[in-house]
Amino acid sequence: MDQKRLAVALALIIASLAACVAWGAAPTGDEILVQVDQQGEFLGEGSLVTTLRFETVYADGTSSTNLFGALGNRREGGPEYSLVYFLEPADLAGTIFLSAKKAGEEARLWLYLPALGLPKELVSEEEKEDSFAGSAISYQDIGGRDLAGKYRAEIVREEDLTVGDLVRSVYVLSLTARPGATSDSALETMWVDKEEYILLRAESRSASGVLERVVEFAALGRFEGKLTADRIVARDFAGGSTTTITFLERRRPAIGLPDGLFVPESLATFDPATYGLTAR
Amino acid sequence: MRRFYEWIADHPYVVIGITLCVTAVFLAFIPRITTDTDFSHYIDPNDPGLVATRRAEDRYGAQSLLMVAIENTQGIFNQATLTKVAEMQAAFAAIDGVDDVTGPLNVQIVTGTETSLWVGPAAPRGTVPATAEEMAAYRDRLLQSNTARGYVVASDEQAAAISIRLKAGTNELAVTEKVASVAKEYNSSPDRVHIIGLSYMNVVLAETMGKDLRILLPLVILAIILVLYLSFRSVRGVLLPLLVVILSTGWSVGLMGAIKVPLTIISFILPVILMAIGVAYGIHVLNRFYEAIDSGLGRRTAVVETGLQMLAPVLMAGLTTVAGFLSLLNSVLVPQRDFGPFAAIGVAVAMVLSLVLIPAFLSLLRPPRQRAHRGESGFVNRVLSVFGWLVLRHRRSVLVVSAILFVAFLSGLSILRIETAETEFLGKESPVVQAMNVLERHFSGSGQLMVEIDTGVRDGLKEPALLSKIVELESYLEAKGVKKTSSLADLVREMNQKFHADDPSYYVIPEDRKLVSQLLALFTFSGGDLGNLTLGDFSAGEVMGLYPVGRSSDQVKLVRDVTAYLKAHFSSPVEAELVGETRISASLHARIARSQISSLATSIAASGAIVALLMASFVAGLISLVPLLLTIAINFGVMAFTGTPLNMATLMVSSMAIGMGIDYAIHFMSRYRREILAGGSAEKALQSTILTTGRGIAFNALSLVLGFILLLASSFKGTRDFGLFVAMTMAISALSAFTVIPAVLITWHPKFLTRTARMRRKERETSTRVE
């Protein structure tokens, strides 16, 4: 996954905390997809601070753990900012990815390596659908996939899905790629929460029906009254790795985050402790 | 045994019925037979090199790639060639089971400036440059990239490579067949498209084996029919031995299917070989039967006498051949170890059926007219008589010339090469080898050398001191002829340079471990794939090198030198070990020479012992080996002087030559002794033997020479060499049986020739005295 996607993805994780839109009448499969997209693209207004842990077990049996602090900022009609700060492991601590997206423009991304003390803008010609931080999860898995543009959906059935301690009523959708659309998988099956239109589970299969990836919410919580993921597990059957994302903390800062925080020049002096971000 | 043969003569239908029932059982298993063309399965699973490589595969994934190379000697930087590349890349990516396709158009290139790092495909949007300026810029970008040059584009600009990564658990062969089908569509002048990879080699080998069998089997059957007809000039003379070899082949191959032993590139010729070898026993039995009929015996008596007289020589001949094949159990190569027992079983079945089934059929068939069977081939008799004359008149010269030939050819042993590479077996014209040659010509070579560095601790590979040692190792490898190396250290140096505005002075390992870690994070978060450069926790990784493949002995030296270097420069807790095909190949090479000596010694000892046992004479055993030793010496000498190396197939020639070649000596000595015991003089015994048994030997040798020479029609060079040299050794063994054996017997008159007669005389004298 390139840096732009990394930043957008993390912004979407933050956004998912506040994502909750009510839906009225019984929808069709395509309508549900539109709603899921809106959930994914919805960025909660204001500032948000999140702490997440990524635990990846690779195909070779080894594992790695990363702890991130993520700061997000968005105002109605204004730019969207996100800053991802590495808290752990120790040798990566202080590495920062910064994303800034102004309305109508492509997002720009900067990388700050503390060992060099230099920010660099990362320019990528095109977006890819690779893994997120070398994990089994991709940008699309986290949200913002333009599902409605890429797929047609049909409701296969309605059922109850157990997520952690909770049992949720879900629509099970079967997705097929729209002709001419650049889709990530030939076949997708999705489990969408009937009440809050949160994507609770997704299975990706190849054209021949081979299961390639499963992303599912393993634990649910509430943030500001909305249903959110507390833990997501992604299994990449093609690459053989499994990643567990745990949301350790979500909070609104007492004072909104200033835009001046989200500029490359301030990365060298960014102090995570100011925002309550500490290694654990 | 007389009662046994009388029973066969009286109950032929029972014998035939039992044979057909057993045959039906074995034939039922033939459809279950599978093929295994994977060269990595051909090595002892406990081989240390293979064990280390398997462990590395478990940790880092496949140690070989599927790659498609496009060769254009006028250069690949043109619209037409790159359009083909683009279309192929898209077609490969659309194949179910393909995870990732990287080629010269979409390979990710990182470019560093003062303020930014640019990451993107080498060609803008991954599409073919439209204008001459765009093409020139693209060319420069690609050739200046360390990650692209030498991997997706050749430095000489005459070839490009598309690397295809398959998804885990994918049916490799099925995907490879689809890749090959796409590649074939784009293989048109001036662009030659080649496929490289183990899975492709397996696909080609499986196809080629099938094609070879479809050609070789009918050919060998025709050859056998021809020889049998020349020998007997009768329908029964053709059909009975032919039936025996077809049944014995069916039993042996059916058994392979029953116990799930796959056909390999060695054993797929088993049916051809068994037919050529097995027919010999039938020829000798029928030959003797016709002799018995010629002498005026009735059908039943002729059947019984034939069985009794042929039991010992056929048993000896069969058992020595079985011993020769079983000696392959000493081989370090699994296909030879699998081939040996099943060939031995097939030979044993042919031997038994010749001694049992043929007499049963002969008991049913109307006796042939006297002498009508022989065809009265005066030419054959005249030629055979010449040998008799030669030995009687010039036996010392025969022995001296034989000794000179033995020494002269044996001297070639010192220059005889052993080549374990697949390419040596497959031959230059194989598409697999031609594809590998593209790598040799335009890239860094087709040989892959891999060193695993294991620190045993998380993030151990990020230590700058260790990375510097890896850089030194790469320099050492390059000094040893490895043309291109890649490692985590290279990646760290490259990212360091890119992050410092592409300043070449920063192409070094940073001293700060944190910076190393952060540069690697930058790489992975930029979409970079660490592949087998490191494990996920950076505790261990691989250094990879590509080199032009030369002789196996060069590989052995490279492995020896690198192993010594690793031992001297990497110490506990860091472990460094060579893994992969180069180490396996070198390990094989070293063990093959020992295995060859062991196989030869076993088959020589076993064959000599069998003859000694059955003829109750140690001297007889020794004499039977004389022509064999001459044959082996000539075989090795010819191989050495013609530059033919010992490879997977030709390694078996000597063991087989012993097992089969000794048959001639056995048949000749048995008959000669019988003639002597019957009271004949040496001269008379020789003439009689050479015109009766010698005739059988001649046609036996002819059938073997023809059968094996047909292997020249094989698509595999190894099989062709094997066929040629076995045919040659069979001819030499037969000539030796006609010349060296009688020369030895007449010159030294060994006691075993007359022992039985003396014993019988003694018994008579004793009984007379008692009376």
Side-chain angles (χ1 to χ4, degrees):
Chain A
M1 172 174 186
D2 62 40
Q3 299 87 333
K4 189 187 292 182
R5 287 217 174 258
L6 171 68
V8 175
L10 287 176
L12 286 166
I13 294 171
I14 298 162
S16 71
L17 300 177
C20 178
V21 177
W23 190 273
T28 64
D30 289 339
E31 287 169 342
I32 292 170
L33 275 196
V34 171
Q35 185 61 2
V36 172
D37 277 340
Q38 286 179 0
Q39 295 276 16
E41 289 167 3
F42 181 76
L43 179 67
E45 292 292 319
S47 303
L48 191 66
V49 177
T50 314
T51 308
L52 323 90
R53 175 182 290 134
F54 270 51
E55 293 166 297
T56 300
V57 179
Y58 301 101
D60 58 39
T62 63
S63 62
S64 70
T65 302
N66 287 296
L67 189 67
F68 302 104
L71 280 65
N73 214 17
R74 181 187 176 186
R75 281 190 300 278
E76 182 69 41
E80 297 172 18
Y81 294 114
S82 62
L83 183 152
V84 180
Y85 184 92
F86 278 75
L87 293 161
E88 290 176 2
D91 53 5
L92 286 179
T95 301
I96 302 173
F97 285 100
L98 170 67
S99 169
K101 185 179 184 308
K102 292 181 181 171
E105 292 181 12
E106 287 288 311
R108 295 179 72 185
L109 186 76
W110 287 266
L111 171 69
Y112 174 78
L113 297 187
L116 289 172
L118 286 170
K120 288 269 183 179
E121 182 171 6
L122 299 180
V123 183
S124 181
E125 187 184 277
E126 58 184 24
E127 293 187 342
K128 293 169 62 186
E129 287 84 27
D130 283 345
S131 70
F132 171 69
S135 69
I137 199 159
S138 76
Y139 158 74
Q140 285 91 356
D141 299 325
I142 297 167
R145 322 173 38 163
D146 186 20
L147 293 171
K150 292 177 179 173
Y151 296 98
R152 288 187 184 284
E154 283 185 16
I155 299 174
V156 178
R157 62 182 181 276
E158 296 175 17
E159 64 182 26
D160 287 342
L161 181 70
T162 303
V163 182
D165 299 334
L166 298 175
V167 177
R168 304 291 300 182
S169 294
V170 295
Y171 295 113
V172 181
L173 305 181
S174 173
L175 279 65
T176 49
R178 288 183 184 276
T182 309
S183 54
D184 314 318
S185 300
L187 300 166
E188 293 258 0
T189 307
M190 291 184 172
W191 283 254
V192 178
D193 188 87
K194 284 176 73 174
E195 282 180 33
E196 305 197 26
Y197 294 94
I198 297 290
L199 191 57
L200 295 178
R201 177 183 167 90
E203 290 181 358
S204 306
R205 293 177 187 274
S206 69
S208 60
V210 176
L211 186 62
E212 294 184 327
R213 190 163 53 196
V214 173
V215 179
E216 59 188 346
F217 284 18
L220 291 171
R222 291 272 169 194
F223 181 70
E224 296 177 342
K226 321 277 196 227
L227 190 67
T228 56
D230 277 355
R231 192 165 67 249
I232 298 172
V233 176
R235 294 183 182 85
D236 174 11
F237 292 99
S241 61
T242 299
T243 299
T244 304
I245 305 169
T246 307
F247 294 82
L248 300 172
E249 186 185 24
R250 301 177 179 98
R251 61 186 164 80
R252 299 284 184 191
I255 305 169
L257 299 170
D259 283 356
L261 183 68
F262 300 97
V263 293
E265 294 75 22
S266 67
L267 295 182
T269 56
F270 178 79
D271 179 13
T274 307
Y275 306 96
L277 302 175
T278 52
R280 300 173 182 228
Chain B
M1 289 311 292
R2 179 174 292 279
R3 289 176 68 183
F4 174 67
Y5 274 105
E6 284 172 353
W7 184 85
I8 288 177
D10 296 336
H11 303 86
Y13 287 114
V14 176
V15 173
I16 293 166
I18 291 171
T19 306
L20 291 180
C21 287
V22 177
T23 303
V25 171
F26 282 113
L27 291 184
F29 287 106
I30 287 183
R32 293 194 192 180
I33 201 97
T34 56
T35 56
D36 182 3
T37 51
D38 190 338
F39 271 78
S40 66
H41 296 166
Y42 291 1
I43 302 151
D44 188 332
N46 297 317
D47 179 276
L50 187 62
V51 170
T53 302
R54 289 275 183 260
R55 194 181 60 234
E57 280 176 350
D58 288 343
R59 302 179 86 180
Y60 305 98
Q63 303 286 290
S64 58
L65 286 172
L66 180 58
M67 194 183 279
V68 174
I70 304 97
E71 185 184 28
N72 184 333
T73 51
Q74 289 148 27
I76 60 144
F77 289 103
N78 63 78
Q79 286 275 339
T81 301
L82 289 177
T83 300
K84 280 186 183 177
V85 170
E87 289 177 4
M88 272 196 283
Q89 280 188 195
F92 295 148
I95 293 172
D96 201 13
V98 170
D99 186 31
D100 188 46
V101 177
T102 305
L105 294 166
N106 71 340
V107 63
Q108 294 286 305
I109 288 184
V110 181
T111 310
T113 67
E114 288 292 341
T115 57
S116 67
L117 278 174
W118 181 88
V119 183
R125 298 168 303 283
T127 56
V128 179
T131 66
E133 291 76 24
E134 283 179 6
M135 184 68 83
Y138 163 67
R139 175 185 164 280
D140 291 345
R141 195 161 49 244
L142 205 58
L143 290 172
Q144 284 166 16
S145 166
N146 284 337
T147 51
R149 191 185 63 253
Y151 290 109
V152 294
V153 63
S155 301
D156 64 7
E157 304 176 30
Q158 291 182 3
I162 300 171
S163 169
I164 300 166
R165 189 174 63 198
L166 306 186
K167 289 172 182 168
T170 296
N171 180 340
E172 279 187 38
L173 291 185
V175 175
T176 304
E177 281 172 0
K178 288 178 187 168
V179 166
S181 169
V182 171
K184 196 176 172 186
E185 288 175 29
Y186 291 91
N187 185 22
S188 58
S189 185
D191 305 303
R192 309 304 303 169
V193 181
H194 306 272
I195 304 167
I196 300 137
L198 195 60
S199 56
Y200 178 64
M201 185 161 78
N202 292 340
V203 167
V204 171
L205 290 183
E207 282 175 6
T208 313
M209 280 163 53
K211 194 183 86 182
D212 270 15
L213 264 186
R214 285 192 292 276
I215 295 170
L216 294 174
L217 261 183
L219 277 179
V220 79
I221 290 173
L222 279 177
I224 288 171
I225 290 172
L226 178 71
V227 171
L228 291 172
Y229 183 74
L230 284 176
S231 180
F232 298 110
R233 306 277 173 105
S234 69
V235 175
R236 81 179 68 186
V238 172
L239 289 186
L240 290 182
L242 189 63
L243 178 68
V244 162
V245 290
I246 289 173
L247 294 184
S248 58
T249 305
W251 286 29
S252 183
V253 177
L255 185 63
M256 288 181 85
I259 59 175
K260 295 179 181 168
V261 173
L263 284 175
T264 64
I265 55 163
I266 296 295
S267 60
F268 87 95
I269 52 170
L270 184 68
V272 180
I273 288 176
L274 280 181
M275 287 196 176
I277 297 171
V279 77
Y281 312 119
I283 288 177
H284 285 293
V285 170
L286 270 180
N287 210 35
R288 188 71 195 90
F289 176 75
Y290 286 134
E291 269 187 56
I293 292 293
D294 278 353
S295 66
L297 295 179
R299 181 177 66 182
R300 187 174 182 280
T301 313
V303 165
V304 173
E305 288 304 318
T306 297
L308 288 172
Q309 287 180 20
M310 293 314 295
L311 185 64
V314 167
L315 207 60
M316 276 191 282
L319 289 179
T320 49
T321 306
V322 165
F325 280 119
L326 288 181
S327 74
L328 294 174
L329 286 168
N330 283 325
S331 173
V332 292
L333 295 167
V334 173
Q336 291 187 3
R337 289 211 299 266
D338 285 350
F339 170 76
F342 289 99
I345 288 168
V347 167
V349 172
M351 174 183 79
V352 171
L353 292 183
S354 295
L355 288 170
V356 174
L357 188 64
I358 290 181
F361 272 109
L362 292 174
S363 302
L364 285 175
L365 299 172
R366 204 168 50 193
R369 281 174 298 170
Q370 289 183 7
R371 305 182 68 83
H373 60 281
R374 290 197 178 188
E376 294 304 330
S377 175
F379 174 74
V380 175
N381 286 352
R382 277 199 302 277
V383 171
L384 292 171
S385 298
V386 168
F387 287 113
W389 170 84
L390 185 72
V391 173
L392 287 172
R393 295 291 176 88
H394 305 283
R395 61 176 183 272
R396 291 191 193 283
S397 303
V398 167
L399 292 174
V400 170
V401 169
S402 300
I404 292 169
L405 287 175
F406 178 78
V407 173
F409 281 103
L410 202 63
S411 68
L413 208 56
S414 60
I415 57 167
L416 184 61
R417 286 188 297 126
I418 297 174
E419 286 296 341
T420 52
E422 302 94 310
T423 49
E424 176 55 40
F425 182 85
L426 299 175
K428 278 187 290 189
E429 70 283 5
S430 164
V432 174
V433 176
Q434 287 179 359
M436 290 169 85
N437 286 340
V438 173
L439 294 184
E440 299 280 336
R441 279 197 300 272
H442 302 296
F443 293 89
S444 304
S446 60
Q448 284 182 31
L449 180 135
M450 300 205 181
V451 178
E452 188 190 21
I453 314 276
D454 191 344
T455 67
V457 292
R458 178 183 290 275
D459 293 330
L461 277 186
K462 293 178 181 174
E463 283 298 337
L466 179 59
L467 289 170
S468 297
K469 272 192 171 182
I470 292 174
V471 171
E472 288 168 14
L473 168 64
E474 289 180 84
S475 300
Y476 176 79
L477 292 177
E478 281 161 21
K480 287 285 168 187
V482 176
K483 284 194 171 177
K484 182 107 184 166
T485 58
S486 61
S487 69
L488 198 68
D490 293 338
L491 194 65
V492 170
R493 287 191 294 177
E494 176 143 6
M495 292 312 289
N496 196 29
Q497 179 182 336
K498 300 295 180 193
F499 208 85
H500 288 92
D502 237 345
D503 182 348
S505 66
Y506 280 92
Y507 190 70
V508 291
I509 301 293
E511 291 177 2
D512 182 357
R513 177 190 160 129
K514 284 187 176 177
L515 179 55
V516 169
S517 198
Q518 289 160 23
L519 288 170
L520 289 169
L522 166 64
F523 176 75
T524 52
F525 289 177
S526 301
D529 183 5
L530 289 167
N532 46 4
L533 293 181
T534 175
L535 296 182
D537 66 353
F538 292 92
S539 61
E542 286 187 323
V543 178
M544 288 173 286
L546 293 172
Y547 64 94
V549 175
R551 294 184 167 189
S552 292
S553 52
D554 296 337
Q555 276 186 326
V556 172
K557 187 172 183 318
L558 179 64
V559 166
R560 198 170 49 228
D561 291 348
V562 174
T563 304
Y565 181 91
L566 295 176
K567 201 173 174 185
H569 292 81
F570 293 87
S571 52
S572 183
V574 177
E575 289 178 6
E577 184 180 19
L578 260 174
V579 295
E581 62 181 37
T582 299
R583 179 173 170 190
I584 293 171
S585 186
S587 167
L588 258 183
H589 186 277
R591 293 170 62 188
I592 272 176
R594 285 200 300 274
S595 131
Q596 174 75 5
I597 292 167
S598 161
S599 279
L600 269 180
T602 308
S603 53
I604 288 173
S607 298
I610 289 168
V611 176
L613 204 66
L614 291 175
M615 295 191 93
S617 165
F618 180 69
V619 175
L622 285 182
I623 292 174
S624 69
L625 295 179
V626 171
L628 294 184
L629 296 175
L630 176 63
T631 304
I632 294 167
I634 293 176
N635 172 49
F636 282 147
V638 172
M639 287 180 80
F641 295 132
T642 58
T644 308
L646 282 171
N647 60 31
M648 256 186 274
T650 52
L651 269 168
M652 301 192 297
V653 172
S654 296
S655 297
M656 288 179 62
I658 291 167
M660 295 187 290
I662 201 168
D663 294 3
Y664 309 137
I666 290 168
H667 286 297
F668 196 96
M669 288 198 302
S670 298
R671 183 59 183 251
Y672 183 81
R673 181 165 74 161
R674 197 141 48 84
E675 296 292 337
I676 292 287
L677 289 175
S681 65
E683 187 175 346
K684 202 177 165 190
L686 176 61
Q687 287 296 351
S688 175
T689 302
I690 220 159
L691 290 176
T692 53
T693 302
R695 188 183 170 81
I697 289 172
F699 283 106
N700 179 359
L702 184 63
S703 72
L704 283 170
V705 169
L706 265 181
F708 280 94
I709 210 86
L710 287 174
L711 293 179
L712 287 176
S714 171
S715 309
F716 300 115
K717 178 179 178 290
T719 309
R720 292 197 299 271
D721 287 347
F722 171 76
L724 184 66
F725 280 97
V726 173
M728 184 189 79
T729 53
M730 288 305 98
I732 296 167
S733 294
L735 284 176
S736 302
F738 293 142
T739 53
V740 182
I741 289 270
V744 169
L745 294 178
I746 291 171
T747 304
W748 282 289
H749 295 292
K751 288 179 183 173
F752 76 90
L753 291 175
T754 51
R755 184 180 298 154
T756 309
R758 278 190 283 117
M759 284 170 68
R760 279 181 189 156
R761 209 179 304 126
K762 251 183 183 177
E763 281 170 11
R764 275 201 301 273
E765 286 167 7
T766 309
S767 62
T768 309
R769 273 202 299 273
V770 169
E771 283 168 12

